[in-house]
Amino acid sequence: MDFFILSDLADLLSARARHFKTILHAMQLRTSFMHLVTVLLAAFTVVSGFTYERLDKNDAVLLVVDLQEGLYQIARDQSAVAMKNNIVAHAALGKVFNLPTILTTSSETGPNGLMTQEVLALHPNATFIHRQGEVNAWDNPDFKAAVEATGKRQIIIAGITTDVCTAFLALSLRDAGYSVFANSDASGTFDVKTANDANDRMRVAGVQVLSMFAVALELMRDWRDTPGAPELLPFFDKYLPEYGILARAHDDAVRNGTLSALEVQICV
């Protein structure tokens, strides 16, 4: 008799367990579905409300943040040659487009080191804020006042490290209502993963993360403008040789070129 009672009890418990699993599965499906709906609605809201804000050379200020010789040595997410080139190119954008330019360093008497000499040579008369301790440049009253004094609402920024010097300031500037454009080529950090995480963090806050090439061309907009081709092609030839050699090859072909033996047949 006891055996049959225990058997019935086991069957009942097994049935209850199957019923519970069915309910739990249904709840998980419902939760997953609701999460998917939430994500899709958020994406639709962002896309439908998107406005393309382009860089405007008349409303932009260039910030050179902690591009220091000591910190330069820990920028390992790109080669040392590329990093130095991109640092100087970032600073040179201010000269090409006549942008108000603000330099700042962090604790330069310590391991962080001095501002890169090539940058100082490009901007000997620029506002230069020597921060004594503030990690986030926006926490320094003199730096904050210098940015505000420009009257510009678009901020072009690059710094070492990407996850600290660039990201902290970019997030603070977004919080203060500025439009922020981070030059990812001229920002460096310990490794690619750290750079990607920092750039993702900034994008979520509305920072536009873009290349030096994109910054330059969005400021220019039209090769016929001033600055235009006569100003930008020498800049690219010096700092972006891939494009500089392209322009040189074109000029050589126009002056001295003859048709090659290559015949391209287009099939329609």
Side-chain angles (χ1 to χ4, degrees):
M1 185 71 174
D2 291 342
F3 171 78
F4 290 111
I5 292 175
L6 290 174
S7 178
D8 290 343
L9 180 59
D11 290 342
L12 177 62
L13 291 174
S14 178
R16 290 290 177 87
R18 288 194 298 272
H19 180 63
F20 177 75
K21 285 183 178 180
T22 301
I23 295 174
L24 182 61
H25 181 64
M27 291 177 64
Q28 290 173 336
L29 286 176
R30 182 175 182 276
T31 301
S32 298
F33 176 74
M34 292 304 296
H35 176 70
L36 177 61
V37 169
T38 302
V39 170
L40 289 175
L41 285 173
F44 176 77
T45 300
V46 171
V47 172
S48 64
F50 174 74
T51 300
Y52 175 26
E53 181 182 2
R54 298 191 292 175
L55 274 168
D56 180 354
K57 63 189 177 187
N58 297 312
D59 194 28
V61 56
L62 186 80
L63 304 185
V64 181
V65 183
D66 304 348
L67 296 179
Q68 297 165 242
E69 293 174 352
L71 293 173
Y72 163 80
Q73 298 177 60
I74 63 174
R76 304 296 179 88
D77 54 325
Q78 55 184 301
S79 74
V81 173
M83 186 76 249
K84 181 181 178 182
N85 176 77
N86 293 335
I87 286 173
V88 181
H90 177 75
L93 284 169
K95 303 294 288 186
V96 174
F97 290 98
N98 195 30
L99 302 174
T101 300
I102 300 172
L103 316 179
T104 185
T105 54
S106 172
S107 301
E108 63 180 32
T109 58
N112 291 352
L114 299 174
M115 176 68 74
T116 307
Q117 292 300 308
E118 290 85 347
V119 172
L120 295 176
L122 283 167
H123 298 285
N125 300 314
T127 300
F128 192 174
I129 307 300
H130 302 266
R131 304 187 332 272
Q132 300 305 309
E134 300 94 343
V135 175
N136 184 341
W138 199 242
D139 292 337
N140 181 284
D142 293 335
F143 179 83
K144 185 176 181 180
V147 173
E148 292 173 342
T150 66
K152 310 298 185 182
R153 300 306 302 173
Q154 294 184 335
I155 313 292
I156 305 169
I157 180 175
I160 301 175
T161 62
T162 309
D163 48 322
V164 176
C165 305
T166 301
F168 288 6
L169 177 55
L171 296 174
S172 295
L173 288 166
R174 287 292 298 137
D175 187 54
Y178 291 93
S179 298
V180 183
F181 300 78
N183 180 351
S184 61
D185 287 337
S187 296
T189 187
F190 300 98
D191 50 56
V192 173
K193 177 187 179 299
T194 304
N196 290 341
D197 290 345
N199 288 330
D200 287 344
R201 185 186 186 193
M202 288 189 283
R203 289 187 183 102
V204 169
V207 176
Q208 294 197 44
V209 180
L210 59 171
S211 67
M212 178 269 288
F213 190 52
V215 172
L217 289 183
E218 195 157 90
L219 285 168
M220 184 189 72
R221 299 197 183 187
D222 191 318
W223 291 105
R224 299 164 297 181
D225 285 349
T226 302
E231 294 78 21
L232 267 295
L233 288 177
F235 172 84
F236 290 141
D237 189 56
K238 186 173 184 178
Y239 299 112
L240 190 67
E242 297 92 334
Y243 201 90
I245 295 299
L246 174 69
R248 291 188 192 197
H250 166 76
D251 292 349
D252 291 341
V254 170
R255 284 193 295 259
N256 308 305
T258 59
L259 294 177
S260 72
L262 176 63
E263 294 184 7
V264 179
Q265 296 181 355
I266 301 176
C267 298
V268 179

